[in-house]
Amino acid sequence: MTTRIKEIFQTGQPDQSVTVQGWVRTKRELKEFTFLEVNDGSSLANLQVILEPTLPDYENVLKTISTGTAIAVSGNLVPSPGKGQNIELKAAEITLYGDCPADYPLQKKRHSFEFLRTIAHLRARTNTLGAVMRVRNACATAIHTFFQEKGFIWVHTPIITANDCEGAGELFTVTSLDLKKPANFAEDFFGKRAYLTVSGQLQAEVMAMALSNVYTFGPTFRAENSNTSRHLAEFWMVEPEMAFCDLEGDQDLAEAFLKYIFKFVLENCPEDLQFFNERIDKTVLSTAENIVNSEFGRITYSEAIELLEKADRQFEFPVEWGVDLQSEHERYLAEELFKKPVIVTNYPKTIKAFYMRLDDSNKTVSAMDILAPKIGEIIGGSQREERLDVLIQRMQEQGMNPDDLWWYLELRRYGSVPHAGFGLGFERLVQFMTGMTNIRDVIPFPRTPLSADF
Amino acid sequence: MTTRIKEIFQTGQPDQSVTVQGWVRTKRELKEFTFLEVNDGSSLANLQVILEPTLPDYENVLKTISTGTAIAVSGNLVPSPGKGQNIELKAAEITLYGDCPADYPLQKKRHSFEFLRTIAHLRARTNTLGAVMRVRNACATAIHTFFQEKGFIWVHTPIITANDCEGAGELFTVTSLDLKKPANFAEDFFGKRAYLTVSGQLQAEVMAMALSNVYTFGPTFRAENSNTSRHLAEFWMVEPEMAFCDLEGDQDLAEAFLKYIFKFVLENCPEDLQFFNERIDKTVLSTAENIVNSEFGRITYSEAIELLEKADRQFEFPVEWGVDLQSEHERYLAEELFKKPVIVTNYPKTIKAFYMRLDDSNKTVSAMDILAPKIGEIIGGSQREERLDVLIQRMQEQGMNPDDLWWYLELRRYGSVPHAGFGLGFERLVQFMTGMTNIRDVIPFPRTPLSADF
């Protein structure tokens, strides 16, 4: 019976007999004995293992073990005289699973994140990427737990879609044609051109109109040729949708949601967050605590514009009512003015999507963006337009053909209700949580222009 | 403050003042008062609402309310004199959100599942599809809870892949080319031809070689032109992968996993399962209890062949050592011989994938399939080949180019370990759980040949 290393640190007692299985991170040979640092991915900290010359076949074992080797170690736990860990393992028996030749790329030294991306099949064995994967998992678990506790239903909206008008963004085509000649989509698998989804929102609205409260959590796609540290061609998105909900309820849910996730990860991954705070970004913990403990600011777009106009500085992008907020504006509001997350609502209709509910002013829509210190926009949402005639007019204003979304419009014909929802880019959340600056380092296998390796 | 109807049935007390929001399923006008059945998707059962002529604007309210109308009702709970429900709601105030014209397709009558597929944007408002969505959600939650409790990390393996050799099955191409001329994939988004994944296993192995125990739960794709009740072009799959695990550990985990899911859904969706048992398939409950309470049978493929050869019947597909088991064979073993799930292991290497571990016999591989009564194969898994030389030879035997999976092979060069995993088709599980015979009725928006609607 094997014990995970995380468990040993949590509940291991001196004299307890255990077997651990993992990979050797370092070997340090001293005159009297040898230290191994062993990691099994369950925790950031390695378990220190002591090999004494009395160990069967000591010399031979030492020769075969190096950084990267996979082993099992059985023995007794002993109190650790060193600082840091409270406990270590005195080996009585070692089993070698797989050795590791000297060309193993993860020798003990600092590697750049750029280099690690070229060995994405090995990089989760490093401290930083291992911690990212554990925090990513904790974020995902927090999301499911939050919604399930509130009675929301997880709905799997389709990845392949024939709607080319779901939202902003360039689309990938999905096809089973051989493509040796010009494509005739009438002969394609779905009988028409199909795409990868950019959002599950429209279909989530369908499910909310039957089940009241639902959420999606799945992959979405953008074929934008953006080779930046902020863009992925494939990323995961969370999109709750609530029937019988207005913009205020939407803000309440989003604020409770973010607080819950940060609290959950603070409680469940303290060691990993501490690591990020020390090694990656010294504001990781204070940012998380700020989210958990602040009451989010709430202002309208018009108020935001007024505040920006009064600001004692020049912005690169000039501010006036009607323009979209730029990153510099968002950061000024959240970081400098409010010093906490702030929700901006009721944006001009001209800069927002067709499905957002038109306000009585006829000038703004019931949209909301949550701006957070350091990261900018973390959540975007809205109350949806539930009035059939207004929705059709908004689509026409934006040059869309209402017939293309006949089923979406029918939700407004048959028992329409006020409803609202929002979207959270999952990788942005993980970046926010860990302080990692490049989005490619918070997803196991990033897909970006010219790169779909592994 | 709104109360969900499920909660009212669970904890509602007479004289309690509540507000519910939902859709009218039926209206029954009697001389003295009117009954509405209201549903909000939280439970199968409708809440009965009583409207008395003393209600403000009674006549007008009655005129505007019909099947499909969205309303809020406030009032006091009263004990129900009828059978079935213990409680009903006496309306004091009604708010109309959205009316519902007479052409609403979901009038009170039986609709065929074929017809309901043509209105997938409305069908979750029916008893059966609503129950499917709740059970589907409970299955998904059970899966996450099971793995998280055991310390597994949820890893998001990529949807877009440049590997065309991940497993069996026809591939969809993903492209951002305009396709008005023959495709030159060197100019495509990823600089080479890219596909939709058929399995996250190979990438899950990468993550298991760092984090020990991981699982995927995400969409996978097949471009097979199979227009049957068992095939989808897009479906969800669960794939755990465990380092330091052999075929026996794999079987143990798979058995515990299935038992956990069925137990969880039995406990969390008793009303929905009861409904499926009464209306869809009278063996739903007994099948679920059989899974939870039986110790699964375990036999080798060779033993299975012997048992089939001894069977007192003619099979359509003749049996001899070396052939793949057909559905009729699998059902005979599980339904008639064992009368419970049975795990068949160590299949001939010629009929299984390259990554399955070669047994010492050189004839079989450490594969396993779990066969269940009524459904056939529900889980397929294996111990993976961890020996670099054997793996390369197996790839070459199957006509594959090992260089294409250089990173997968490197997992066997650097600290290789015995490891194992399995795959579960999520929609097959939901079918199994609900008794639904067509796979298109257990996913919100099915994608099949010539159909990517909604």
Side-chain angles (χ1 to χ4, degrees):
Chain A
M1 200 48 204
T2 296
T3 309
R4 304 296 305 272
I5 288 172
K6 180 182 181 179
E7 253 177 78
I8 288 178
F9 287 133
Q10 285 173 345
T11 63
Q13 295 299 326
D15 293 330
Q16 191 183 332
S17 158
V18 299
T19 298
V20 301
Q21 296 171 306
W23 290 269
V24 174
R25 286 284 177 89
T26 60
K27 178 177 75 171
R28 193 152 45 98
E29 283 184 69
L30 302 183
K31 208 168 161 195
E32 321 253 313
F33 38 69
T34 298
F35 288 120
L36 303 180
E37 298 274 340
V38 177
N39 192 287
D40 66 1
S42 65
S43 75
L44 181 78
N46 304 318
L47 181 65
Q48 179 149 286
V49 174
I50 311 146
L51 275 50
E52 292 180 337
T54 52
L55 190 75
D57 212 16
Y58 181 68
E59 293 300 328
N60 222 359
V61 163
L62 280 200
K63 257 184 252 164
T64 51
I65 289 180
S66 59
T67 295
T69 306
I71 58 172
V73 188
S74 298
N76 282 330
L77 297 178
V78 293
S80 176
K83 62 181 167 60
Q85 250 89 74
N86 55 340
I87 210 141
E88 53 193 39
L89 174 58
K90 202 162 151 183
E93 197 189 338
I94 296 231
T95 309
L96 178 78
Y97 291 118
D99 59 6
C100 194
D103 65 351
Y104 182 52
L106 289 176
Q107 299 302 330
K108 175 101 190 158
K109 63 166 198 137
R110 284 263 179 163
H111 302 281
S112 73
F113 292 130
E114 288 77 9
F115 169 70
L116 291 177
R117 272 170 235 144
T118 68
I119 51 166
H121 61 308
L122 301 173
R123 68 175 179 165
R125 302 180 189 186
T126 63
N127 282 339
T128 305
L129 270 291
V132 164
M133 295 310 152
R134 283 186 297 273
V135 168
R136 189 180 163 100
N137 174 67
C139 288
T141 300
I143 288 164
H144 281 306
T145 308
F146 175 82
F147 286 123
Q148 293 293 329
E149 281 176 0
K150 292 193 176 302
F152 281 58
I153 303 274
W154 185 20
V155 296
H156 297 102
T157 50
I159 308 303
I160 298 172
T161 171
N163 307 314
D164 57 0
C165 52
E166 283 176 348
E170 304 272 322
L171 298 168
F172 283 108
T173 294
V174 174
T175 174
S176 68
L177 297 171
D178 74 1
L179 305 178
K180 287 175 186 148
K181 50 183 188 184
N184 176 358
F185 293 110
E187 290 172 2
D188 205 350
F189 192 92
F190 298 108
K192 60 179 104 162
R193 191 163 188 162
Y195 306 92
L196 289 181
T197 185
V198 298
S199 159
Q201 179 200 314
L202 304 192
Q203 292 93 348
E205 286 186 55
V206 164
M207 303 311 285
M209 297 301 98
L211 305 165
S212 295
N213 292 333
V214 303
Y215 66 108
T216 70
F217 186 2
T220 51
F221 305 85
R222 296 283 185 286
E224 270 170 70
N225 201 355
S226 300
N227 229 327
T228 79
S229 62
R230 292 169 50 85
H231 291 88
L232 290 170
E234 171 181 329
F235 56 97
W236 283 62
M237 195 138 76
V238 183
E239 296 175 288
E241 190 71 34
M242 295 84 70
F244 312 105
C245 181
D246 60 14
L247 187 61
E248 198 188 333
D250 205 25
Q251 293 174 73
D252 293 343
L253 188 84
E255 180 170 348
F257 172 69
L258 277 184
K259 285 176 153 56
Y260 184 97
I261 299 171
F262 276 86
K263 190 152 182 279
F264 186 98
V265 178
L266 278 168
E267 284 169 5
N268 285 276
C269 300
E271 184 195 32
D272 292 317
L273 287 192
Q274 190 70 46
F275 170 83
F276 288 114
N277 198 66
E278 281 168 19
R279 300 296 185 88
I280 302 295
D281 179 340
K282 292 194 189 330
T283 66
V284 158
L285 287 177
S286 58
T287 301
E289 274 150 20
N290 181 256
I291 298 270
V292 172
N293 299 319
S294 314
E295 192 183 335
F296 291 10
R298 298 191 185 193
I299 56 175
T300 64
Y301 168 87
S302 300
E303 288 163 349
I305 293 294
E306 272 178 48
L307 291 170
L308 290 166
E309 282 171 341
K310 274 191 274 183
D312 53 352
R313 72 174 57 194
Q314 284 292 102
F315 292 109
E316 192 190 337
F317 295 89
V319 174
E320 64 171 327
W321 201 98
V323 304
D324 207 355
L325 298 186
Q326 299 296 321
S327 181
E328 57 175 342
H329 310 138
E330 296 178 342
R331 294 187 62 158
Y332 172 77
L333 291 170
E335 274 167 43
E336 300 190 40
L337 219 50
F338 281 84
K339 296 186 185 1
K340 63 180 184 180
V342 53
I343 313 182
V344 180
T345 58
N346 308 94
Y347 284 77
K349 68 173 178 177
T350 47
I351 58 171
K352 289 289 185 185
F354 72 95
Y355 50 72
M356 298 187 176
R357 192 178 194 280
L358 190 64
D359 293 326
D360 291 344
S361 71
N362 238 343
K363 286 186 188 159
T364 56
V365 289
S366 289
M368 67 154 182
D369 284 350
I370 301 189
L371 315 178
K374 302 205 35 108
I375 194 123
E377 187 197 322
I378 177 87
I379 277 180
S382 70
Q383 183 171 343
R384 320 308 189 184
E385 184 54 74
E386 88 280 13
R387 296 160 298 185
L388 182 62
D389 52 343
V390 182
L391 182 59
I392 290 174
Q393 197 185 323
R394 290 270 292 144
M395 290 180 78
Q396 285 165 340
E397 278 171 17
Q398 302 206 4
M400 300 170 63
N401 180 359
D403 293 344
D404 290 344
L405 289 180
W406 64 271
W407 52 273
Y408 186 70
L409 295 177
E410 283 202 351
L411 300 178
R412 280 70 181 169
R413 284 199 69 209
Y414 302 124
S416 188
V417 300
H419 60 293
F422 62 81
L424 168 84
F426 183 62
E427 282 73 22
R428 292 270 170 89
L429 174 74
V430 181
Q431 277 191 276
F432 196 16
M433 191 76 74
T434 59
M436 298 295 289
T437 54
N438 195 312
I439 199 166
R440 298 172 198 208
D441 299 327
V442 297
I443 189 167
F445 302 95
R447 267 66 180 116
T448 55
L450 299 181
S451 172
D453 299 331
F454 308 103
Chain B
M1 199 48 203
T2 296
T3 310
R4 304 295 306 271
I5 288 172
K6 180 182 179 179
E7 253 177 78
I8 288 178
F9 288 134
Q10 284 174 345
T11 62
Q13 297 297 328
D15 291 330
Q16 190 184 332
S17 158
V18 299
T19 298
V20 301
Q21 296 171 306
W23 291 267
V24 173
R25 285 285 177 88
T26 60
K27 177 177 74 172
R28 195 151 44 98
E29 285 185 66
L30 302 182
K31 206 169 162 193
E32 320 253 312
F33 37 70
T34 297
F35 289 120
L36 303 180
E37 300 274 339
V38 177
N39 191 288
D40 66 0
S42 65
S43 74
L44 181 78
N46 305 318
L47 180 66
Q48 179 149 287
V49 174
I50 311 147
L51 311 187
E52 291 180 337
T54 51
L55 189 75
D57 211 16
Y58 181 68
E59 292 299 328
N60 223 357
V61 163
L62 280 200
K63 257 185 252 163
T64 51
I65 288 180
S66 60
T67 295
T69 305
I71 58 172
V73 188
S74 299
N76 282 330
L77 296 179
V78 293
S80 176
K83 64 181 166 61
Q85 251 88 73
N86 55 339
I87 211 140
E88 55 193 40
L89 173 60
K90 202 162 151 183
E93 195 188 339
I94 296 229
T95 309
L96 179 77
Y97 292 117
D99 60 5
C100 195
D103 64 352
Y104 183 51
L106 289 177
Q107 298 302 329
K108 175 101 190 158
K109 64 166 197 136
R110 283 263 180 165
H111 303 281
S112 74
F113 291 128
E114 287 79 7
F115 169 69
L116 290 178
R117 271 170 236 144
T118 69
I119 51 166
H121 61 308
L122 301 172
R123 70 175 178 165
R125 303 180 189 186
T126 63
N127 282 339
T128 305
L129 270 291
V132 163
M133 295 310 153
R134 284 186 297 273
V135 168
R136 189 179 163 101
N137 174 65
C139 287
T141 301
I143 287 165
H144 281 305
T145 308
F146 175 82
F147 286 123
Q148 293 293 330
E149 281 176 0
K150 291 192 176 301
F152 282 57
I153 303 273
W154 185 20
V155 295
H156 297 102
T157 51
I159 308 303
I160 298 172
T161 172
N163 307 313
D164 56 0
C165 52
E166 283 176 347
E170 303 270 324
L171 298 168
F172 283 108
T173 294
V174 174
T175 174
S176 68
L177 297 171
D178 75 359
L179 304 178
K180 286 174 186 148
K181 51 184 186 182
N184 175 1
F185 293 110
E187 290 172 2
D188 205 350
F189 191 91
F190 298 106
K192 59 179 107 166
R193 190 163 189 162
Y195 306 92
L196 289 181
T197 186
V198 298
S199 159
Q201 180 200 314
L202 304 193
Q203 291 93 348
E205 286 186 54
V206 164
M207 302 310 285
M209 295 302 97
L211 305 165
S212 295
N213 292 333
V214 304
Y215 66 108
T216 70
F217 186 1
T220 52
F221 304 86
R222 296 283 185 286
E224 271 169 70
N225 201 355
S226 300
N227 229 327
T228 78
S229 62
R230 292 170 49 85
H231 291 88
L232 290 170
E234 172 181 328
F235 56 98
W236 283 62
M237 194 137 77
V238 183
E239 297 175 287
E241 190 72 35
M242 295 83 71
F244 312 104
C245 181
D246 60 14
L247 187 60
E248 199 187 333
D250 205 25
Q251 293 174 72
D252 293 343
L253 188 84
E255 180 170 348
F257 173 68
L258 278 184
K259 285 176 153 55
Y260 185 97
I261 299 171
F262 276 86
K263 190 152 183 279
F264 186 98
V265 179
L266 279 167
E267 284 169 6
N268 285 277
C269 300
E271 183 195 33
D272 292 317
L273 287 192
Q274 190 70 45
F275 170 83
F276 288 114
N277 199 65
E278 279 167 21
R279 299 296 185 87
I280 303 294
D281 179 340
K282 291 192 189 333
T283 66
V284 157
L285 286 177
S286 58
T287 301
E289 274 150 19
N290 181 254
I291 298 270
V292 172
N293 298 319
S294 313
E295 192 183 335
F296 291 10
R298 297 191 185 192
I299 55 174
T300 64
Y301 169 87
S302 299
E303 288 163 348
I305 293 295
E306 271 179 48
L307 291 169
L308 290 165
E309 281 174 341
K310 275 192 274 184
D312 53 352
R313 71 175 56 192
Q314 284 292 101
F315 292 110
E316 193 189 337
F317 294 90
V319 173
E320 63 171 329
W321 201 97
V323 303
D324 207 356
L325 298 185
Q326 301 294 323
S327 179
E328 57 175 341
H329 310 137
E330 296 178 343
R331 295 188 61 157
Y332 172 76
L333 290 170
E335 273 167 43
E336 299 190 40
L337 220 50
F338 281 84
K339 299 187 183 1
K340 64 181 183 181
V342 53
I343 313 182
V344 180
T345 59
N346 307 94
Y347 285 76
K349 67 173 179 178
T350 48
I351 58 173
K352 288 290 184 183
F354 72 95
Y355 51 72
M356 299 186 174
R357 191 178 196 280
L358 190 63
D359 293 325
D360 291 343
S361 71
N362 238 345
K363 285 185 187 162
T364 56
V365 288
S366 289
M368 68 153 184
D369 283 351
I370 302 189
L371 315 178
K374 302 204 35 104
I375 194 125
E377 186 197 323
I378 177 87
I379 278 180
S382 70
Q383 185 172 342
R384 319 308 188 183
E385 184 55 73
E386 87 281 14
R387 296 161 299 185
L388 182 62
D389 53 342
V390 182
L391 182 59
I392 290 175
Q393 198 185 321
R394 289 272 292 145
M395 290 179 79
Q396 285 166 341
E397 278 171 19
Q398 302 205 6
M400 299 170 65
N401 179 359
D403 293 344
D404 289 344
L405 288 179
W406 64 272
W407 50 275
Y408 186 70
L409 295 178
E410 283 203 350
L411 299 179
R412 279 70 181 171
R413 283 198 69 209
Y414 301 125
S416 188
V417 300
H419 60 291
F422 62 81
L424 168 84
F426 183 62
E427 281 73 22
R428 292 269 169 89
L429 173 74
V430 181
Q431 277 191 277
F432 196 15
M433 191 76 73
T434 58
M436 297 296 288
T437 54
N438 195 313
I439 199 165
R440 298 170 198 209
D441 299 328
V442 297
I443 190 167
F445 301 95
R447 267 65 181 116
T448 55
L450 299 180
S451 172
D453 299 332
F454 308 102

